[in-house]
Amino acid sequence: MTDPVTPLEITRFWLDEVGPQGWYASTAALDQTIRDRFLAAWEDAATLAPLWAAEGPQGALAALILTDQFPRNMFRDDPRAFATDALALRIADRAIAQGHDLATPEPGRQFFYMPFEHAEDLADQRRAVALFAERMPGENLRHARLHRDTIAAFGRFPWRNAALGRPSTPEEQALLNAGGYGALVSGKVSLADAG
């Protein structure tokens, strides 16, 4: 039996081993490494994450990486990618109220705000934009605004439809055909055109 994963293991892995250059890259090797090292912890996230989050800023950060970031790597194109989103939102809300985000240096601080950016809820999206604008402006703010505007236009993220078994509307399909989120980021299409 292996030793249980600790919050420090998660933060060191995500912040130091993977780092900013790997956070938003999609590689099968990284996804497999995360599954191999952290799947068991994610499967126990309902118990582990709240305990870790109660330990302070580092524990809260580890809980958010476990519940919001890792599933997106471990379960690409699978509904489990979003299975712990509600838990991540609760942890982020409490951690921000306790100031754990501001006690966490950039760029790791962004992971306190990502659960709001990942939510298919306009109020949460607006909160993500406000948090990034106030506490960590920069490139992340641009992405937060694109996510918010997508939810304002569609009420959901069209690029999740296939994984969640949702039929796409013609407008959503047009966006997906144009390249989805990547097309929005590059400016190839705009939500004004898509909506």
Side-chain angles (χ1 to χ4, degrees), residues 124-146:
D124 288 329
Q125 288 295 323
R126 288 178 177 141
R127 186 165 185 204
V129 170
L131 286 164
F132 276 116
E134 178 187 332
R135 300 178 180 201
M136 198 178 161
E139 183 64 16
N140 291 92
L141 178 57
R142 179 173 172 256
H143 289 280
R145 287 177 174 146
L146 281 172

Side-chain angles (χ1 to χ4, degrees), residues 117 142-144 146-147 150 159 175-176 179-186:
E117 186 174 323
R142 179 173 172 256
H143 289 280
L146 281 172
H147 281 77
T150 301
W159 41 88
L175 175 60
L176 294 171
Y181 186 68
L184 293 174
V185 172
S186 70

Side-chain angles (χ1 to χ4, degrees), residues 20-74:
Q21 70 284 351
W23 290 339
Y24 303 106
S26 172
T27 70
L30 176 59
D31 294 352
Q32 189 61 51
T33 297
I34 294 171
R35 277 191 297 276
D36 291 345
R37 290 176 65 175
F38 303 109
L39 178 60
W42 180 83
E43 288 173 339
D44 200 23
T47 300
L48 286 178
L51 292 174
W52 292 353
E55 294 174 5
Q58 184 183 65
L61 178 60
L64 291 168
I65 293 167
L66 178 67
T67 56
D68 186 63
Q69 296 297 306
F70 283 178
R72 285 166 165 76
N73 287 85
M74 291 189 292

Side-chain angles (χ1 to χ4, degrees), residues 94-110:
R94 192 170 302 121
I96 291 166
Q98 294 172 331
H100 295 334
D101 60 323
L102 295 176
T104 302
E106 296 180 22
R109 182 181 301 166
Q110 68 188 287

